Amino acid sequence: MRILGIETSCDETAAAVVENGSKILSNVVASQIEIHARYGGIVPEVASRQHVLSIVPVIEQALRSAGTPWQDIDGVAVTFGPGLAGSLLVGVNTAKAIALSKDLPLTGVNHLEAHIYANWLTEEAPPSFPSLCLIISGGHSDLVLMKGHGQFEKLGRTRDDAAGEAFDKAARILGLGYPGGPAIEQAASQGRPSVPFPRAWLKGSSDFSFSGVKTALWHFCQKNDLSGNSSLVADVAASFQEAIVDVLFTKTINAAEELKVKQVLLSGGVAANKSLTRRFLDSSPLPLSVPPPHLCTDNAAMVAACGYYHLQSTRPPTRHYDLDVVPSLSLG
Ligand code: KG4
Ligand code: ZN
């Protein structure tokens, strides 16, 4: 079964063809990073207009690279939320038009659920249930128990900034540019984690909080002159990164051991961070699944993989996993 996946929730216009929920035949991502970098962050109206320009060529390229004509596509999956409304509309309406004109089944996919399904696209054996999923992106930091396909229970979320958002804001304070995660990672690779930034453990809860460490970084930059001191900037970046990785790793592993899950699945853009994956790979007492970096950041292959399981499913997924912006829409 070949699914065409479409993703336009934020600033990447993406389309992919995936076979049987695991084999990537094509995975095309048109990034808007250069366009938004000059503003220091994503401008929603600019993003949606860029999606309008890119969506058709990106889909055509995905089919061409997959060597798959339209008649060999068996279904369409599209991200319907959460995300920027104007951006989502472009993908959803394009997917609807394709499904209607080609007479194909269509499924709307939750973006966070799609991130989890990047773990079905790796070279490794498919994950085992129950799994504990850590989804860390620009807008979310969620811990989700996955008992089976479509069966999710949200255990924790960030109470303020998401992990990726904290990276982006810290990079901005340090003058490292956008997107912040890769910029902090790059700077951190030249530094030592010598600044004792705070960790919000929120004991007894699986929630996260990253606004405190971000504020601590801001105060540090107010008190110390970092201008022209690239080695101090590198040390601050390394210290900030370590504080975030420490909390994500410790809280995830504590929850995983308590729940006695079979595996821990990482996903979302922040899971592309090598320091984070090294910490999990070196220290996790449980089997771990980490998608390669290009499948952690936004892409449509993960949407197609998730859509495959929706279309295979004979019963609607459970609704424990709240869908943030569009809770009334069906997942399946
Ligand atoms: O999942 P994603 O591509 O888009 C959203 O759904 O938000 O995640 C984007 C976020 C951004 O905040 C970006 O700074 C962060 O992921 N990110 C990273 C890295 N690569 C991307 N954070 C830390 N280290 C990285 N290497
Ligand atoms: Zn994402």
Side-chain angles (χ1 to χ4, degrees):
M1 194 179 196
R2 290 182 177 186
I3 306 293
L4 170 68
I6 297 173
E7 157 65 41
T8 63
S9 66
C10 195
D11 62 336
E12 323 277 8
T13 317
V17 179
V18 172
E19 194 166 71
N20 297 332
S22 61
K23 187 175 174 198
I24 299 175
L25 301 184
S26 66
N27 189 17
V28 180
V29 181
S31 170
Q32 302 180 12
I33 281 178
E34 275 179 30
I35 297 168
H36 297 283
R38 77 183 80 142
Y39 306 107
I42 296 160
V43 183
E45 178 64 16
V46 173
S48 45
R49 283 169 188 262
Q50 198 57 38
H51 285 308
V52 171
L53 297 176
S54 305
I55 188 75
V56 171
V58 163
I59 291 172
E60 284 173 347
Q61 195 186 326
L63 289 169
R64 232 181 0 259
S65 310
T68 304
W70 279 113
Q71 59 268 28
D72 291 346
I73 295 290
D74 301 296
V76 181
V78 63
T79 303
F80 70 76
L84 302 172
S87 293
L88 288 164
L89 274 172
V90 177
V92 168
N93 283 306
T94 307
K96 279 183 180 172
I98 291 170
L100 192 66
S101 61
K102 307 284 181 195
D103 196 21
L104 290 169
L106 171 67
T107 182
V109 168
N110 175 270
H111 183 73
L112 304 174
E113 188 186 1
H115 268 304
I116 293 172
Y117 275 89
N119 289 286
W120 270 258
L121 296 168
T122 67
E123 304 283 300
E124 312 298 321
S128 330
F129 300 122
S131 281
L132 182 65
C133 311
L134 174 66
I135 313 165
I136 32 179
S137 67
H140 293 81
S141 300
D142 290 355
L143 264 180
V144 176
L145 178 64
M146 185 177 188
K147 295 178 183 161
H149 290 295
Q151 292 178 269
F152 301 103
E153 195 176 323
K154 190 176 311 204
L155 306 172
R157 65 193 312 162
T158 181
R159 293 187 185 173
D160 37 58
D161 290 0
E165 185 183 359
F167 272 110
D168 292 336
K169 288 176 176 169
R172 198 171 176 148
I173 294 167
L174 292 171
L176 294 172
Y178 172 85
I184 294 265
E185 179 172 11
Q186 166 65 26
S189 69
Q190 312 296 315
R192 283 180 316 108
S194 52
V195 185
F197 285 131
R199 278 86 163 136
W201 294 114
L202 305 181
K203 287 220 164 62
S205 162
S206 290
D207 284 351
F208 298 104
S209 166
F210 297 111
S211 67
V213 62
K214 176 196 66 185
T215 306
L217 179 137
W218 187 82
H219 283 299
F220 185 91
C221 294
Q222 295 300 304
K223 285 194 199 119
N224 299 276
D225 184 13
L226 273 70
S227 53
N229 191 343
S230 59
S231 77
L232 183 55
V233 169
D235 286 353
V236 172
S239 309
F240 182 82
Q241 178 175 266
E242 192 188 67
I244 292 197
V245 167
D246 210 13
V247 170
L248 289 171
F249 172 78
T250 308
K251 296 202 68 152
T252 303
I253 296 303
N254 285 350
E257 290 191 317
E258 199 171 303
L259 292 160
K260 300 189 177 23
V261 295
K262 294 208 173 113
Q263 207 166 354
V264 173
L265 315 184
L266 303 188
S267 63
V270 179
N273 184 286
K274 287 186 206 65
S275 170
L276 177 114
T277 52
R278 213 177 306 120
R279 177 80 184 270
F280 273 89
L281 288 166
D282 290 350
S283 312
S284 171
L286 289 155
L288 193 69
S289 171
V290 189
H294 72 285
L295 296 176
C296 289
T297 48
D298 286 351
N299 66 87
M302 66 188 196
V303 177
C306 183
Y308 168 80
Y309 286 97
H310 283 194
L311 294 172
Q312 288 285 311
S313 164
T314 50
R315 62 191 171 82
T318 57
R319 309 306 315 284
H320 297 303
Y321 189 24
D322 79 80
L323 304 180
D324 289 304
V325 291
V326 275
S328 61
L329 282 184
S330 160
L331 261 178

Coordinates of all heavy atoms in Angstrom, one line a residue, residues 191-271:
G191 N 32.3 24.4 23.3 CA 32.4 24.9 24.7 C 32.3 23.8 25.7 O 32.2 22.6 25.4
R192 N 32.4 24.2 27.0 CA 32.3 23.3 28.1 C 31.0 23.7 28.9 O 30.8 24.9 29.1 CB 33.5 23.4 29.0 CG 34.7 22.7 28.5 CD 35.9 22.9 29.5 NE 36.0 24.2 29.9 CZ 35.7 24.6 31.2 NH1 35.3 23.8 32.1 NH2 35.9 25.9 31.6
P193 N 30.3 22.7 29.5 CA 29.1 23.1 30.3 C 29.5 23.6 31.7 O 29.2 22.9 32.7 CB 28.3 21.8 30.4 CG 29.3 20.7 30.2 CD 30.4 21.3 29.4
S194 N 30.1 24.8 31.7 CA 30.6 25.3 33.0 C 29.7 26.2 33.8 O 30.0 26.5 34.9 CB 31.9 26.1 32.7 OG 31.6 27.0 31.7
V195 N 28.6 26.6 33.2 CA 27.6 27.5 33.9 C 26.5 26.6 34.5 O 25.8 25.8 33.8 CB 27.0 28.5 33.0 CG1 26.1 29.5 33.7 CG2 28.1 29.2 32.2
P196 N 26.3 26.7 35.9 CA 25.3 25.8 36.5 C 23.9 26.3 36.3 O 23.3 26.9 37.3 CB 25.7 25.9 38.0 CG 26.4 27.2 38.1 CD 27.0 27.6 36.8
F197 N 23.3 26.2 35.1 CA 21.9 26.6 34.9 C 20.9 25.7 35.7 O 21.2 24.5 35.8 CB 21.6 26.6 33.4 CG 22.2 27.8 32.7 CD1 22.9 27.6 31.5 CD2 22.1 29.1 33.2 CE1 23.5 28.7 30.8 CE2 22.6 30.1 32.5 CZ 23.3 29.9 31.3
P198 N 19.8 26.2 36.1 CA 18.8 25.4 36.9 C 18.1 24.4 36.0 O 18.0 24.5 34.8 CB 17.9 26.5 37.4 CG 17.9 27.5 36.4 CD 19.3 27.6 35.8
R199 N 17.7 23.3 36.7 CA 16.8 22.3 36.1 C 15.5 22.3 36.8 O 15.5 22.2 38.1 CB 17.4 20.9 36.3 CG 18.5 20.5 35.3 CD 19.9 21.0 35.7 NE 20.9 20.3 35.0 CZ 22.0 20.9 34.5 NH1 22.2 22.2 34.6 NH2 23.0 20.2 33.9
A200 N 14.4 22.3 36.1 CA 13.1 22.3 36.7 C 12.6 20.8 36.7 O 12.2 20.3 35.7 CB 12.1 23.1 36.0
W201 N 12.7 20.1 37.9 CA 12.4 18.7 37.9 C 10.9 18.4 38.1 O 10.4 17.4 37.6 CB 13.2 18.0 39.1 CG 14.7 18.0 38.9 CD1 15.6 18.7 39.6 CD2 15.4 17.4 37.8 NE1 16.8 18.5 39.1 CE2 16.8 17.7 38.0 CE3 15.0 16.6 36.7 CZ2 17.8 17.3 37.1 CZ3 16.0 16.2 35.9 CH2 17.4 16.5 36.1
L202 N 10.1 19.4 38.6 CA 8.7 19.2 38.8 C 8.4 17.8 39.4 O 7.7 17.0 38.7 CB 7.9 19.4 37.5 CG 8.2 20.8 36.8 CD1 7.3 20.9 35.6 CD2 7.9 21.9 37.7
K203 N 9.0 17.5 40.5 CA 8.9 16.1 41.0 C 7.5 15.6 41.2 O 6.6 16.4 41.6 CB 9.6 16.1 42.4 CG 11.2 16.1 42.3 CD 11.9 15.2 43.3 CE 13.3 15.0 42.9 NZ 14.1 16.2 42.9
G204 N 7.3 14.3 40.9 CA 5.9 13.8 41.0 C 5.1 14.0 39.8 O 3.9 13.6 39.7
S205 N 5.6 14.8 38.8 CA 4.8 15.1 37.6 C 5.7 14.7 36.4 O 6.9 14.8 36.4 CB 4.4 16.5 37.6 OG 4.1 16.9 36.3
S206 N 5.0 14.3 35.3 CA 5.7 14.1 34.0 C 5.7 15.3 33.1 O 6.1 15.3 32.0 CB 5.1 12.9 33.3 OG 5.4 11.7 33.9
D207 N 5.3 16.5 33.7 CA 5.3 17.7 32.9 C 6.8 18.3 32.9 O 7.6 17.9 33.7 CB 4.5 18.8 33.6 CG 3.0 18.5 33.3 OD1 2.7 17.7 32.5 OD2 2.2 19.2 34.0
F208 N 7.0 19.2 32.0 CA 8.3 19.8 31.8 C 8.1 21.3 32.0 O 7.0 21.9 31.9 CB 8.9 19.6 30.4 CG 9.2 18.2 30.1 CD1 8.3 17.5 29.3 CD2 10.3 17.5 30.6 CE1 8.6 16.1 29.0 CE2 10.6 16.2 30.3 CZ 9.7 15.5 29.5
S209 N 9.2 22.0 32.3 CA 9.2 23.5 32.3 C 10.6 24.0 31.9 O 11.6 23.6 32.4 CB 8.9 24.0 33.7 OG 9.2 25.4 33.8
F210 N 10.6 24.8 30.8 CA 11.9 25.3 30.3 C 12.0 26.8 30.4 O 13.0 27.4 29.9 CB 12.1 24.8 28.9 CG 12.2 23.3 28.8 CD1 11.2 22.5 28.2 CD2 13.3 22.6 29.4 CE1 11.3 21.1 28.2 CE2 13.4 21.2 29.4 CZ 12.4 20.5 28.8
S211 N 11.0 27.5 30.9 CA 11.1 29.0 30.9 C 12.1 29.4 31.9 O 12.8 30.5 31.7 CB 9.7 29.6 31.2 OG 9.3 29.3 32.5
G212 N 12.3 28.7 33.0 CA 13.3 29.1 34.1 C 14.7 29.1 33.6 O 15.5 30.0 33.8
V213 N 15.1 28.0 32.9 CA 16.5 27.9 32.4 C 16.7 29.0 31.3 O 17.8 29.6 31.2 CB 16.8 26.5 31.9 CG1 15.9 26.1 30.7 CG2 18.3 26.4 31.5
K214 N 15.7 29.3 30.5 CA 15.8 30.4 29.5 C 16.0 31.7 30.2 O 16.9 32.5 29.8 CB 14.5 30.4 28.7 CG 14.4 31.5 27.7 CD 13.0 31.7 27.2 CE 12.1 32.2 28.3 NZ 10.7 32.3 27.9
T215 N 15.2 32.0 31.3 CA 15.4 33.3 32.0 C 16.7 33.3 32.7 O 17.4 34.4 32.8 CB 14.2 33.4 33.1 OG1 13.0 33.2 32.4 CG2 14.2 34.7 33.8
A216 N 17.2 32.2 33.2 CA 18.5 32.2 33.9 C 19.6 32.5 32.9 O 20.5 33.3 33.2 CB 18.8 30.8 34.5
L217 N 19.4 32.1 31.6 CA 20.4 32.4 30.6 C 20.4 33.9 30.3 O 21.4 34.5 30.1 CB 20.1 31.6 29.3 CG 21.0 31.8 28.1 CD1 21.4 30.5 27.4 CD2 20.4 32.7 27.1
W218 N 19.1 34.4 30.2 CA 19.0 35.9 30.0 C 19.7 36.7 31.1 O 20.4 37.6 30.7 CB 17.5 36.2 29.9 CG 17.2 37.6 29.5 CD1 17.2 38.1 28.2 CD2 17.0 38.7 30.3 NE1 17.0 39.4 28.2 CE2 16.8 39.9 29.5 CE3 16.8 38.9 31.7 CZ2 16.6 41.1 30.0 CZ3 16.6 40.2 32.2 CH2 16.4 41.3 31.3
H219 N 19.5 36.3 32.3 CA 20.1 37.0 33.4 C 21.6 36.9 33.3 O 22.3 37.9 33.6 CB 19.6 36.5 34.8 CG 18.2 37.0 35.2 ND1 18.0 38.4 35.3 CD2 17.1 36.4 35.4 CE1 16.7 38.5 35.6 NE2 16.1 37.3 35.6
F220 N 22.1 35.7 33.0 CA 23.6 35.5 32.9 C 24.1 36.5 31.8 O 25.2 37.1 32.0 CB 23.9 34.1 32.5 CG 25.3 33.8 32.4 CD1 26.0 33.3 33.6 CD2 26.1 34.0 31.3 CE1 27.4 33.0 33.6 CE2 27.4 33.7 31.2 CZ 28.1 33.2 32.4
C221 N 23.4 36.6 30.7 CA 23.8 37.5 29.6 C 23.7 39.0 30.0 O 24.5 39.8 29.4 CB 23.0 37.2 28.3 SG 23.3 35.6 27.7
Q222 N 22.8 39.3 30.9 CA 22.8 40.7 31.4 C 24.0 41.0 32.3 O 24.5 42.2 32.3 CB 21.5 40.9 32.2 CG 20.2 40.8 31.4 CD 20.1 41.8 30.3 OE1 20.2 43.0 30.5 NE2 19.9 41.3 29.1
K223 N 24.4 40.0 33.1 CA 25.4 40.3 34.1 C 26.8 40.2 33.5 O 27.8 40.7 34.0 CB 25.3 39.3 35.2 CG 24.2 39.6 36.1 CD 24.3 38.8 37.4 CE 22.9 38.7 38.2 NZ 22.4 37.4 38.3
N224 N 27.0 39.4 32.4 CA 28.3 39.1 31.8 C 28.3 39.7 30.4 O 27.4 39.5 29.6 CB 28.6 37.6 31.8 CG 28.6 37.0 33.2 OD1 29.6 37.1 33.9 ND2 27.4 36.5 33.6
D225 N 29.5 40.3 30.0 CA 29.6 40.8 28.7 C 30.1 39.7 27.8 O 31.2 39.2 27.8 CB 30.6 42.0 28.7 CG 30.7 42.6 27.3 OD1 29.8 42.3 26.5 OD2 31.6 43.4 27.1
L226 N 29.2 39.2 26.9 CA 29.5 38.1 26.0 C 30.0 38.6 24.6 O 30.4 37.8 23.8 CB 28.3 37.2 25.8 CG 28.1 36.1 26.8 CD1 27.7 36.6 28.2 CD2 27.1 35.1 26.4
S227 N 29.9 39.9 24.4 CA 30.1 40.4 23.0 C 31.6 40.2 22.7 O 32.5 40.5 23.4 CB 29.8 41.9 22.9 OG 30.4 42.6 23.9
G228 N 31.8 39.5 21.5 CA 33.1 39.2 21.1 C 33.8 38.1 21.8 O 35.0 37.7 21.5
N229 N 33.2 37.5 22.8 CA 33.8 36.5 23.6 C 33.2 35.1 23.2 O 32.3 34.5 23.8 CB 33.5 36.7 25.1 CG 34.3 35.8 26.0 OD1 34.8 34.8 25.5 ND2 34.4 36.2 27.3
S230 N 33.7 34.6 22.0 CA 33.0 33.4 21.5 C 33.2 32.2 22.4 O 32.4 31.3 22.3 CB 33.5 33.2 20.1 OG 34.9 33.0 20.1
S231 N 34.3 32.2 23.1 CA 34.5 31.0 24.0 C 33.5 31.0 25.1 O 33.0 29.9 25.5 CB 35.9 30.8 24.4 OG 36.2 31.7 25.5
L232 N 33.1 32.2 25.7 CA 32.1 32.2 26.7 C 30.7 31.9 26.1 O 30.0 31.2 26.8 CB 32.1 33.6 27.4 CG 31.1 33.8 28.6 CD1 31.4 32.7 29.7 CD2 31.3 35.2 29.2
V233 N 30.5 32.4 24.9 CA 29.2 32.0 24.3 C 29.1 30.5 24.1 O 28.1 29.9 24.4 CB 29.1 32.7 22.9 CG1 27.9 32.2 22.1 CG2 28.9 34.3 23.1
A234 N 30.2 29.9 23.7 CA 30.2 28.4 23.5 C 29.9 27.7 24.8 O 29.2 26.8 24.9 CB 31.5 28.0 22.9
D235 N 30.6 28.2 25.9 CA 30.3 27.6 27.2 C 28.9 27.8 27.7 O 28.3 26.8 28.3 CB 31.3 28.2 28.3 CG 32.7 27.8 28.1 OD1 33.0 26.9 27.3 OD2 33.6 28.3 28.8
V236 N 28.3 29.0 27.4 CA 26.9 29.2 27.8 C 26.0 28.3 27.0 O 25.1 27.6 27.6 CB 26.5 30.7 27.6 CG1 25.1 30.9 27.9 CG2 27.3 31.6 28.6
A237 N 26.3 28.2 25.7 CA 25.4 27.3 24.9 C 25.5 25.8 25.3 O 24.5 25.1 25.4 CB 25.9 27.4 23.4
A238 N 26.8 25.4 25.7 CA 27.0 24.0 26.1 C 26.2 23.8 27.5 O 25.6 22.7 27.7 CB 28.4 23.7 26.3
S239 N 26.3 24.8 28.3 CA 25.6 24.6 29.7 C 24.1 24.6 29.5 O 23.4 23.8 30.2 CB 26.0 25.8 30.5 OG 27.4 26.0 30.6
F240 N 23.6 25.5 28.6 CA 22.1 25.5 28.4 C 21.7 24.2 27.8 O 20.7 23.6 28.2 CB 21.8 26.7 27.4 CG 20.4 26.9 27.2 CD1 19.6 27.5 28.0 CD2 19.8 26.4 26.0 CE1 18.2 27.7 27.8 CE2 18.5 26.6 25.7 CZ 17.7 27.2 26.6
Q241 N 22.4 23.7 26.8 CA 22.0 22.5 26.1 C 22.0 21.3 27.1 O 21.1 20.5 27.2 CB 23.0 22.2 25.0 CG 22.8 20.9 24.3 CD 23.8 20.7 23.1 OE1 23.4 21.1 22.0 NE2 24.9 20.2 23.3
E242 N 23.1 21.3 28.0 CA 23.2 20.2 29.0 C 22.0 20.2 30.0 O 21.5 19.2 30.3 CB 24.5 20.3 29.7 CG 24.7 19.0 30.5 CD 26.0 19.1 31.4 OE1 25.9 19.9 32.4 OE2 26.9 18.4 31.2
A243 N 21.6 21.4 30.4 CA 20.5 21.6 31.3 C 19.2 21.0 30.7 O 18.5 20.2 31.4 CB 20.3 23.0 31.7
I244 N 19.0 21.3 29.5 CA 17.7 20.8 28.8 C 17.8 19.3 28.6 O 16.9 18.5 28.9 CB 17.5 21.5 27.5 CG1 17.2 23.0 27.8 CG2 16.4 20.9 26.6 CD1 16.5 23.8 26.7
V245 N 19.0 18.8 28.1 CA 19.1 17.4 27.9 C 19.0 16.6 29.2 O 18.3 15.5 29.2 CB 20.5 17.1 27.2 CG1 20.9 15.6 27.2 CG2 20.5 17.6 25.8
D246 N 19.6 17.1 30.2 CA 19.5 16.5 31.6 C 18.1 16.2 32.0 O 17.7 15.1 32.4 CB 20.2 17.4 32.6 CG 20.9 16.7 33.7 OD1 21.0 15.4 33.6 OD2 21.2 17.3 34.7
V247 N 17.2 17.3 31.9 CA 15.8 17.2 32.3 C 15.1 16.2 31.4 O 14.3 15.3 31.9 CB 15.2 18.5 32.3 CG1 13.7 18.4 32.5 CG2 15.8 19.4 33.4
L248 N 15.3 16.3 30.1 CA 14.5 15.5 29.2 C 14.9 14.0 29.4 O 14.0 13.1 29.4 CB 14.8 15.9 27.7 CG 14.2 17.2 27.2 CD1 14.8 17.6 25.9 CD2 12.7 17.1 27.2
F249 N 16.2 13.7 29.5 CA 16.6 12.4 29.7 C 16.1 11.8 31.0 O 15.5 10.7 31.1 CB 18.2 12.3 29.7 CG 18.7 10.9 30.0 CD1 18.6 9.9 29.1 CD2 19.2 10.7 31.3 CE1 19.1 8.6 29.5 CE2 19.7 9.4 31.7 CZ 19.6 8.4 30.7
T250 N 16.4 12.5 32.1 CA 16.1 12.0 33.5 C 14.6 11.7 33.6 O 14.2 10.7 34.1 CB 16.6 12.9 34.5 OG1 18.0 13.2 34.3 CG2 16.4 12.4 35.9
K251 N 13.8 12.7 33.2 CA 12.3 12.5 33.4 C 11.7 11.4 32.5 O 10.8 10.7 32.9 CB 11.6 13.9 33.2 CG 12.0 15.0 34.2 CD 11.0 16.0 34.3 CE 9.7 15.5 34.9 NZ 9.0 16.5 35.7
T252 N 12.3 11.3 31.3 CA 11.8 10.3 30.4 C 12.1 8.9 30.9 O 11.3 8.0 31.0 CB 12.4 10.5 29.0 OG1 12.0 11.8 28.5 CG2 11.8 9.5 28.0
I253 N 13.4 8.7 31.4 CA 13.8 7.4 31.8 C 13.1 7.0 33.1 O 12.6 5.9 33.3 CB 15.3 7.3 32.0 CG1 16.0 7.5 30.6 CG2 15.7 6.0 32.6 CD1 15.5 6.5 29.5
N254 N 12.9 8.0 34.0 CA 12.1 7.7 35.3 C 10.7 7.2 35.0 O 10.3 6.3 35.5 CB 12.0 9.0 36.1 CG 13.4 9.3 36.8 OD1 14.3 8.5 36.8 ND2 13.5 10.5 37.4
A255 N 10.1 7.9 34.0 CA 8.7 7.6 33.7 C 8.7 6.2 33.0 O 7.8 5.3 33.3 CB 8.1 8.6 32.8
A256 N 9.6 5.9 32.1 CA 9.7 4.7 31.4 C 9.9 3.5 32.4 O 9.3 2.4 32.2 CB 10.8 4.7 30.4
E257 N 10.7 3.7 33.4 CA 11.0 2.6 34.3 C 9.8 2.4 35.2 O 9.4 1.2 35.5 CB 12.2 3.0 35.2 CG 13.5 2.9 34.3 CD 14.8 3.0 35.1 OE1 14.9 3.8 36.0 OE2 15.7 2.2 34.8
E258 N 9.1 3.5 35.6 CA 7.9 3.3 36.4 C 6.8 2.6 35.7 O 6.1 1.8 36.2 CB 7.5 4.8 36.8 CG 6.6 4.8 38.0 CD 6.3 6.3 38.4 OE1 7.3 7.0 38.7 OE2 5.2 6.7 38.4
L259 N 6.7 2.9 34.4 CA 5.6 2.3 33.6 C 6.0 0.9 33.0 O 5.1 0.3 32.5 CB 5.3 3.2 32.4 CG 4.6 4.6 32.8 CD1 4.7 5.6 31.7 CD2 3.1 4.3 33.1
K260 N 7.2 0.6 33.2 CA 7.7 -0.7 32.7 C 7.4 -0.9 31.2 O 6.9 -1.9 30.8 CB 7.2 -1.9 33.5 CG 7.5 -1.8 35.0 CD 7.1 -3.1 35.7 CE 7.5 -3.2 37.1 NZ 7.7 -2.0 37.9
V261 N 7.7 0.2 30.4 CA 7.5 0.1 29.0 C 8.6 -0.8 28.3 O 9.6 -1.0 28.9 CB 7.5 1.5 28.3 CG1 6.3 2.3 28.8 CG2 8.8 2.2 28.5
K262 N 8.3 -1.2 27.1 CA 9.3 -2.1 26.4 C 10.4 -1.2 25.7 O 11.5 -1.7 25.5 CB 8.6 -2.9 25.4 CG 7.7 -4.0 26.0 CD 7.6 -5.2 25.1 CE 6.8 -6.3 25.8 NZ 5.6 -6.6 25.1
Q263 N 10.0 0.0 25.4 CA 10.9 0.8 24.6 C 10.7 2.3 24.8 O 9.5 2.7 25.1 CB 10.7 0.5 23.1 CG 11.9 0.7 22.2 CD 11.8 0.0 20.9 OE1 10.9 -0.7 20.6 NE2 12.8 0.3 20.0
V264 N 11.7 3.1 24.5 CA 11.5 4.6 24.5 C 11.7 5.1 23.1 O 12.7 4.7 22.4 CB 12.6 5.2 25.5 CG1 12.5 6.7 25.4 CG2 12.3 4.8 26.9
L265 N 10.8 5.9 22.6 CA 10.9 6.4 21.2 C 11.1 7.9 21.3 O 10.3 8.6 21.9 CB 9.6 6.1 20.5 CG 8.9 4.7 20.6 CD1 7.7 4.7 19.6 CD2 9.9 3.7 20.2
L266 N 12.1 8.4 20.7 CA 12.3 9.8 20.6 C 11.8 10.4 19.3 O 11.8 9.6 18.3 CB 13.8 10.2 20.6 CG 14.6 9.7 21.9 CD1 16.0 10.3 21.9 CD2 13.9 10.0 23.2
S267 N 11.3 11.6 19.3 CA 10.9 12.2 18.0 C 10.8 13.7 18.1 O 10.8 14.3 19.2 CB 9.5 11.6 17.6 OG 8.5 12.0 18.6
G268 N 10.6 14.4 17.0 CA 10.5 15.9 16.9 C 11.9 16.5 16.7 O 12.9 15.8 16.9
G269 N 11.9 17.7 16.2 CA 13.1 18.4 15.8 C 14.3 18.4 16.8 O 15.4 18.2 16.4
V270 N 13.9 18.5 18.1 CA 15.0 18.5 19.1 C 15.7 17.2 19.2 O 16.9 17.1 19.7 CB 14.4 19.0 20.5 CG1 15.5 19.1 21.6 CG2 13.8 20.4 20.3
A271 N 15.0 16.1 18.8 CA 15.7 14.8 18.9 C 16.8 14.7 17.8 O 17.5 13.7 17.8 CB 14.6 13.7 18.7

